[in-house]
Structures are given as structure tokens and as C-alpha cells.
Amino acid sequence: MDFYKVGHKDIMKKKLLAIATSWLGIGGLFIRLRRLFKKEVIILAYHRILDTHDDESYLFDEELISANSDAFLWQINFLKKHYDVISFAELSQRLASNKPLTGRELIITFDDGFSDNYSNAYRLLDSVDIPAVFYISTGYIGADKTFWFNEVVHAIKVAKKLSFSIADTTYDFEPSKKNKEKAIQLVLNQLKEIPNSERLNAIESLYRELDFRAYAIPASELPMTWENINEMASNNMEIGSHAVSHPILSRLTDEEMQQEIIDSKNTIETMTKKVCRTIAYPVGGRNAFTEKVQKISETAGYEYGLSYISGNNKANALNKYSLARLHVERYTSNEEFKLMLYLPEIF
Ligand SMILES: [Zn+2]
């Protein structure tokens, strides 16, 4: 997951540009020109494919929904037609063979490991016959709970009162929809700044203050199972690490950092009987992974480390432990999706 929200103005600008490029009919030209002048490896970042509407009855984090099934199917058909959709295993092989890349290489990635990655994303990818890489936080797989960041949003959405303290500041809001949105942003932003042990305590005390109790988790909010993952791993999909407990790696002690990075790799390899080549750092912004995180990942045997920093990767100078990705969001229209691929610089 990421905690970075796009401003409304930004969204409008992209929508207008997308309409303009589509109206001018110059999209295909952009793709060809880019390939001529820039050899890039494009990596797309998704979280969830869910057919939930943007309505108030959805009581979890809608920001994690990257697309609904129809939009995703349109996107992967477009990618199949215009790009060479590959896995990291294939990328490594191409690089090792010393053949120049075509500039059409594109990798689809999913973060976290929600059950819809299997029931929706994998089903659609399989129908179109293209691979993707799924980054899973191993401690959640098969568990009867949802991811902590999703649960925090849920706790705020269902709260009857909205007074709580976080990072030594006390807030007292009327529990309106708008204030809840503000509180969600504020709490998630604070939680990514503090050390891991404090984060766990802060969440516990937040739940106490909001009077949040045990609840029935809808099946759609659960993580995948190992059975799901093994089926995917044996059918064209690659499984990567998203650490064990989805912590912010830079906020861990050295020992915890090692554990999260190494244990998740070992678990994935034991369960899937395949090499776990890559790691996507949880949250993934500039402050979420340090040089040390990159170093430990390299020493642990990962071939690549993925950030959540927006951008493209130069094929001949890959920043192997800080790869950039382009984010697909639930409000990304088909035209914007194309524009993001034509002109990633503005995204
Ligand atoms: Zn994540």
C-alpha cells in the first residue's frame, strides 16, 4: 500500500491531457517515439481489483482499489497488444544474455496479497495469458484478519466518536464523513513515521479510544491463502516478498529488518518451491526504505528491490534496488492509462 494521495488539481490536469492526446490521435506516435529514443522497463503497480463502488457502504480502504474487473481487463488487453509483458525471471534472463532490450518490456505487479488478487486479477490475467508478479506480506497469508492499514481505515470509518491521540497530539472531531477522511489521512501518515514498536502500540490505543472491537471480516477483505498462491506460482505468476508483517522497513531495528526481509523470502521459497527473486518495500516511498534496506535485500539474494516511487526505469542503467513503478488507481480512465504509458514523466 502507499499513503500518498493525489491532489484533485493533479487528477484534473491528467484528465484534460488524456482527452487532448486522445482527441489529437497521437497516442501511438508517443509509444513509437519513446521506444526509438528511450529504452525503458516499465513496471506497473496495482493493489486490488475489486468491483466495489465508490459508495459509503464500503467500509474499508477504497484507495487500495486499483481498478474494477472491466477496467483491468481492458488494461491488460491493451498491454498485451502494445507491450511485451514479462516477469522478473524473464527480465533477468534477457539481461544476462546481453541482448539489448526491445524497449517494449513491461512488468505488472500487485502489492499486499488481498484475496481478490487470486479471485479477480489472476483469473483475468490467466484468461489473457500474461504473467504478473504478486508481492505478498507472508505473515498475513491464510490468516483470518485483514492487513493493518486496511483495518485502521475500517476502525475510523465505523467509529461513532472521533476523539483520539496519535504522536502526542489529541484530536477531537465530529464523526462526519469529511472528518473521517481527514482522520484516516492523518493517522496513516503518522503511522508511517514512527518506529515499528510504537506503531503497534499506537494502533492498539487508537482502537481503544475509538471503541473498536472484534468484528466479522468480509471474505473479500481477507488475504490470499497459500493454496491460492501455489496455484498462481505454478501457472505463470511470480511471487515476490512484501516483507512479513508489512512494516515500514526503515523504521525497524537492524535485527527486525533482517528478519522481515530474509524470513519472507525463505517462507515463499519453502511454500512455492520457487526462487523468490524480488522484494517490493512496503509503503515504498522515499522514507520507507533506506540504503541499509537495499543492502540487506541484496545480501539476502534478491535480484531486484521495488519502490513505490513513481517513474520509469532506464533499461541500460537499472537502479536494481530502487526500481520505480507507475501507479494504477481506481480513477485512472482508459485514456489516462494510455497517457501514463506515453508520458510517465507527468505521473
Ligand atoms: Zn503494501
Side-chain angles (χ1 to χ4, degrees), residues 155-343:
I156 296 173
K157 280 194 173 180
V158 299
K160 299 237 166 17
K161 59 185 178 84
L162 206 51
S163 44
F164 59 89
S165 325
I166 194 126
D168 297 332
T169 314
T170 303
Y171 299 90
D172 195 1
F173 297 123
E174 271 299 303
S176 66
K177 184 170 181 267
K178 222 180 168 103
N179 283 340
K180 285 186 174 180
E181 281 169 12
K182 209 191 297 176
I184 287 167
Q185 186 95 51
L186 200 145
V187 168
L188 289 180
N189 278 333
Q190 286 295 345
L191 290 177
K192 73 172 192 210
E193 296 298 337
I194 56 184
N196 201 50
S197 54
E198 279 179 40
R199 173 173 65 80
L200 301 176
N201 290 333
I203 292 174
E204 231 174 81
S205 75
L206 176 76
Y207 287 175
R208 260 198 313 275
E209 289 173 302
L210 295 178
D211 208 12
F212 178 62
R213 289 149 201 259
Y215 62 106
I217 312 170
S220 60
E221 300 304 318
L222 290 174
M224 289 189 279
T225 64
W226 283 110
E227 203 183 358
N228 298 153
I229 287 163
N230 285 337
E231 184 187 328
M232 290 156 72
S234 60
N235 191 22
N236 215 15
M237 304 294 145
E238 210 170 83
I239 308 299
S241 162
H242 202 41
V244 177
S245 66
H246 203 292
I248 288 91
L249 292 169
S250 60
R251 305 291 180 238
L252 299 179
T253 63
D254 289 6
E255 199 185 328
E256 291 169 330
M257 212 183 268
Q258 296 256 8
Q259 259 172 16
E260 289 276 346
I261 293 171
I262 296 170
D263 289 3
S264 52
K265 185 176 188 332
N266 289 342
T267 305
I268 291 170
E269 293 182 345
T270 307
M271 298 303 282
T272 65
K273 305 195 174 51
K274 301 229 158 138
V275 184
C276 173
R277 303 168 178 278
T278 56
I279 180 166
Y281 313 120
V283 178
R286 278 181 208 286
N287 297 328
F289 65 102
T290 50
E291 202 116 311
K292 193 181 276 171
V293 170
Q294 299 181 51
K295 198 88 231 143
I296 294 175
S297 302
E298 186 174 359
T299 311
Y302 289 104
E303 292 171 32
Y304 299 100
L306 284 71
S307 77
Y308 202 73
I309 296 166
S310 182
N312 257 6
N313 305 287
K314 283 199 189 93
N316 57 0
L318 285 180
N319 223 336
K320 285 176 92 173
Y321 293 93
S322 160
L323 292 175
R325 295 189 278 178
L326 292 171
H327 313 157
V328 186
E329 310 285 0
R330 70 191 193 291
Y331 41 78
T332 306
S333 66
N334 295 353
E335 292 308 325
E336 285 172 276
F337 184 78
K338 289 195 249 175
L339 180 67
M340 181 169 78
L341 295 164
Y342 304 150
L343 286 173

Side-chain angles (χ1 to χ4, degrees), residues 86-99 101 277 303-304:
I86 59 169
S87 62
F88 277 104
E90 177 66 25
L91 178 69
S92 291
Q93 222 171 50
R94 289 187 188 187
L95 289 171
S97 72
N98 272 332
K99 266 192 251 150
L101 297 179
R277 303 168 178 278
E303 292 171 32
Y304 299 100

